[in-house]
Amino acid sequence: MLLRLTATVLEAPDANELAAFYRRLLGWATVQEETGWVRLVPPGGGAGISFNTDPDFVRPVWPAARGDQRMTQHLDIEVEDLAAAGAHARSCGAVPAEYQPQEDVRVYFDPAGHPFCLWVERSRAS
């Protein structure tokens, strides 16, 4: 029996717009694109990220308080240099979160409001 994870799917008000952000951020290739659906894959293969338009999408709140729309997942993206990667993320359209919980992790929001983390191996952070 074959069971292979091929993608994580992020819902957004505009899948094509959000995919364009991640294409700029990660430099991944588009392997499928139509109105309301896009699939990106990393160089060298592996599980990608897909994007689906959901007109009823509600932005998550992070950190969330009781009653807020909570995130149900987030992406962790390893980087070599937090400052340089953060500058790149901001130039692509990411917004840094006000609350930053750790020295070696930076939390950002993509244009649809999904949180994602840029992180550096602790041995590189010092």
Side-chain angles (χ1 to χ4, degrees):
M1 170 182 358
L2 172 68
L3 297 172
R4 180 173 43 119
L5 178 66
T6 58
T8 296
V9 180
L10 297 179
E11 304 284 321
D14 184 329
N16 300 79
E17 179 182 297
L18 188 58
F21 165 80
Y22 280 100
R23 190 171 28 248
R24 289 188 306 273
L25 180 71
L26 300 171
W28 289 9
T30 301
V31 293
Q32 182 182 8
E33 184 165 13
E34 52 195 67
T35 302
W37 178 263
V38 182
R39 184 169 163 236
L40 305 179
V41 295
I49 305 174
S50 296
F51 305 89
N52 183 60
T53 294
D54 178 355
D56 296 324
F57 176 78
V58 176
R59 292 174 78 95
V61 176
W62 186 88
R66 179 175 225 118
D68 288 341
Q69 174 67 37
R70 294 183 176 273
M71 68 173 183
T72 58
Q73 78 286 320
H74 70 274
L75 302 176
D76 282 344
I77 302 168
E78 183 179 10
V79 302
E80 292 180 338
D81 181 322
L82 273 179
H88 171 67
R90 288 188 304 277
S91 75
C92 292
V95 175
E98 200 170 298
Y99 173 65
Q100 296 293 331
Q102 298 166 268
E103 282 279 320
D104 54 350
V105 176
R106 293 293 173 268
V107 180
Y108 289 86
F109 300 106
D110 69 22
H114 300 101
F116 67 93
C117 296
L118 301 179
W119 68 277
V120 66
E121 187 68 41
R122 286 187 192 271
S123 62
R124 287 192 203 137
S126 32

